[in-house]
């Protein structure tokens, strides 16, 4: 279980405006998309590749291309949709699946309400995207599900994480010989009593798409 905090001035700059309660939804969506593209560079550092012979204008040489089977990007609905375009921009040949999860605001329990994934993910690298790693329950449920489908290399990409959520994911997967990685823009102070990240940026889904 590896955790990478992508500490970069541009990432911190964009996070500052995402946190600002006065940032409107269109700006929030644009900044989230830009931020995900930056995080995706770190998340895809170990993406699988294979040789590709090519002809340059001067000679024959060998480059690389993404290996088959293609990687799969899995946004956790609904807030994860706001991160999808930033990932697809960097991995345009990747396939996309969806997991719909909702958290009970009182019990903090997570349930799955939608699933659009291949029947088998055997041998596939998977990139889970969800803006907030708060308690870690939804992320663990999503990772467990991908593992059950045969995924053997999973990277979760989150804009923000709480120490409690990171610890929950670590306890679940550390020492099990699984390739599970976490890439985040920043680690905040803590969770409050309602399970929100502090200082955080509020409810990412509401700020992306409005209150429904």
């Amino acid at each position: 279980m590896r955790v990478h905090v992508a500490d970069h001035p541009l990432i911190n700059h964009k996070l500052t405006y995402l946190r600002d309660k006065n940032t409107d939804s269109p700006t929030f969506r644009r900044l989230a998309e830009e931020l995900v593209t930056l995080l995706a560079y770190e998340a895809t550092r170990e993406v699988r590749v294979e040789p590709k012979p090519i002809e340059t204008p001067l000679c024959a040489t060998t480059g690389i291309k993404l290996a088959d089977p293609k990687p799969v990007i899995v946004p956790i609905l609904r807030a994860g949709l706001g991160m999808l375009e930033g990932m697809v921009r960097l991995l345009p040949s990747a396939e996309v699946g969806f997991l719909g999860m909702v958290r009970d605001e009182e019990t903090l329990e997570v349930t799955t309400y939608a699933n659009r994934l291949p029947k088998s993910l055997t041998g596939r690298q998977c990139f889970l995207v969800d803006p907030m790693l708060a308690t870690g329950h939804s992320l663990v449920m999503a990772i467990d599900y991908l593992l059950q489908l045969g995924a053997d290399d999973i990277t979760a990409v989150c804009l923000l994480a709480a120490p409690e959520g990171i610890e929950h994911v670590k306890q679940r997967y550390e020492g099990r010989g699984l390739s599970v990685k976490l890439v985040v823009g920043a680690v905040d102070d803590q969770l409050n009593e309602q399970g929100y990240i502090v200082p955080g940026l509020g409810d990412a889904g509401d700020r992306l798409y409005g209150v429904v």
Side-chain angles (χ1 to χ4, degrees), residues 87-99:
M87 288 294 298
V88 171
R89 178 176 290 113
L90 203 64
L91 287 172
S93 63
E95 295 181 354
V96 178
F98 298 94
L99 274 177

Side-chain angles (χ1 to χ4, degrees), residues 5 14 33 36 51 66 90 97-98 111 176 185 196 210:
V5 182
K14 293 180 189 302
E33 183 179 314
V36 172
L66 292 185
L90 203 64
F98 298 94
T111 55
R176 292 178 55 185
Y196 283 93

